[in-house]
Amino acid sequence: MLQITGLTVKYGVGVHALQDASVDVPEGAVAAVIGGNGAGKSSLMRAISGTLGFHAGRVVEGSITYDGRNLAGLSPQKILRLGIAHVPEGRRILGEMTVLENLRAGGAIVRSTRKRVNALQEIMDRFPILAERRNQRAGLLSGGEQQILAIGRGLMSSPKVMLLDEPTLGLSPQMVERVADTIREVNASGVTVVVVEQNAAMALGVATDGHVIERGRVVLSDSAAALRDSPDVRRLFLGGDVDEGLGLDAAPASLATLTRWSA
Ligand SMILES: Nc1ncnc2c1ncn2[C@@H]1O[C@H](COP(=O)(O)OP(=O)(O)OP(=O)(O)O)[C@@H](O)[C@H]1O
Ligand SMILES: [Mg+2]
């Protein structure tokens, strides 16, 4: 459904955020993208949603196709209209606005009033926490609830693909579980999901497929089950005791990864 082929992304004149990255996301999948700090995960998401330009970045090589259609040069609005919704890093909830206003903002791109109303109703039914607090300021929700709101806002455009960038960052274990359940529900409703995570255990727990990015390169792609069992992945990302096996790449990136992920 989503095919990223040989993608190279740059910021400004020098920084290569991704190099020759290829990822295939089949329809109905939950694809987990895991990797350390600065590996290029958010850049991949921005490239797909056409939002690299907001960050002074650009695709310099490679292609992204969605249902066989090349997304090169399309505006973020167009890509959203085609059915790809991006829930960015840091949630970007409008804290001063109500839950309802935040959700409506997510549906602003939808031309048909009937579709907007139906989408809103569906989200209210699916996430009672949002329905109960619809008239409260979004800034009063807990971090986990804000993440559910961000996902709900993304669903307002009735996407076929949802890109989730670090949805569990900073959440308590209980809220992490809740977000994981939400991802499963969204996928069960027919939405293909790409989830970028620092929490590899969560991501590989909900995913069908997984991809490991190190320093801009996709170094491993396999089923989520195979990655969960992989000694390298366990050692680097899941805090396992496995101490044999080869590193995925050179040591420095792995050390950087461990520093961030062992917290
Ligand atoms: N707006 C920007 N301008 C310049 N360089 C950037 C910009 N955004 C990201 N980069 C660089 O591109 C590389 C990849 O960054 P990216 O944000 O994609 O990584 P990430 O895997 O999402 O990291 P994190 O886990 O910290 O969110 C890093 O070297 C980063 O410093
Ligand atoms: Mg990121």
Side-chain angles (χ1 to χ4, degrees):
M1 164 166 247
L2 199 55
Q3 257 160 338
I4 295 115
T5 311
L7 193 73
T8 297
V9 166
K10 254 180 135 174
Y11 292 98
V13 282
V15 185
H16 269 93
L18 282 177
Q19 257 185 321
D20 196 20
S22 297
V23 172
D24 193 7
V25 183
E27 183 162 8
V30 176
V33 178
I34 61 178
N37 215 345
K41 306 179 301 294
S42 296
S43 301
L44 177 67
M45 305 296 248
R46 291 169 185 161
I48 299 169
S49 64
T51 55
L52 272 174
F54 299 159
H55 306 268
R58 66 194 185 286
V59 171
V60 291
E61 244 184 283
S63 68
I64 301 172
T65 60
Y66 165 63
D67 270 348
R69 177 173 182 161
N70 194 331
L71 298 184
L74 301 186
S75 69
Q77 290 78 5
K78 177 73 188 171
I79 292 171
L80 180 56
R81 272 190 214 289
L82 287 175
I84 302 178
H86 183 177
V87 180
E89 215 169 27
R91 299 173 196 131
R92 312 274 169 81
I93 286 298
L94 305 164
E96 295 298 317
M97 291 169 74
T98 66
V99 166
L100 204 53
E101 286 165 340
N102 271 276
L103 289 172
R104 289 200 173 120
I109 193 125
V110 180
R111 293 191 186 105
S112 149
T113 309
R114 190 180 48 82
K115 280 190 186 155
R116 279 202 307 271
V117 170
N118 287 348
L120 184 62
Q121 191 54 52
E122 230 177 85
I123 289 158
M124 290 296 181
D125 291 345
R126 194 183 298 163
F127 304 115
I129 184 73
L130 301 182
E132 282 160 25
R133 306 184 69 171
R134 64 210 293 157
N135 295 317
Q136 264 187 31
R137 281 199 297 125
L140 295 174
L141 299 181
S142 73
E145 290 162 351
Q146 289 189 20
Q147 185 59 51
I148 290 168
L149 174 57
I151 293 172
R153 186 179 54 186
L155 288 173
M156 279 294 292
S157 58
S158 305
K160 298 193 194 92
V161 178
M162 180 167 266
L163 311 174
L164 291 170
D165 196 339
E166 306 227 21
T168 70
L169 191 64
L171 301 186
S172 66
Q174 201 188 348
M175 282 319 295
V176 168
E177 219 15 77
R178 204 148 150 203
V179 169
D181 286 341
T182 304
I183 295 171
R184 289 190 189 98
E185 274 174 45
V186 167
N187 180 242
S189 76
V191 180
T192 301
V193 176
V194 184
V195 58
V196 153
E197 261 297 343
Q198 50 142 352
N199 184 339
M202 188 294 289
L204 293 176
V206 299
T208 51
D209 311 316
H211 307 272
V212 179
I213 302 194
E214 284 207 339
R215 286 178 296 156
R217 294 183 181 273
V218 179
V219 294
L220 206 54
S221 291
D222 210 330
S223 70
L227 290 184
R228 281 195 299 269
D229 290 341
S230 148
D232 287 333
V233 171
R234 293 171 66 113
R235 182 168 51 85
L236 290 173
F237 301 125
L238 299 175
D241 311 310
V242 183
D243 52 17
E244 72 242 40
L246 302 166
L248 292 173
D249 202 335
S254 306
L255 285 176
T257 301
L258 278 174
T259 325
R260 181 175 181 208
W261 294 37
S262 56

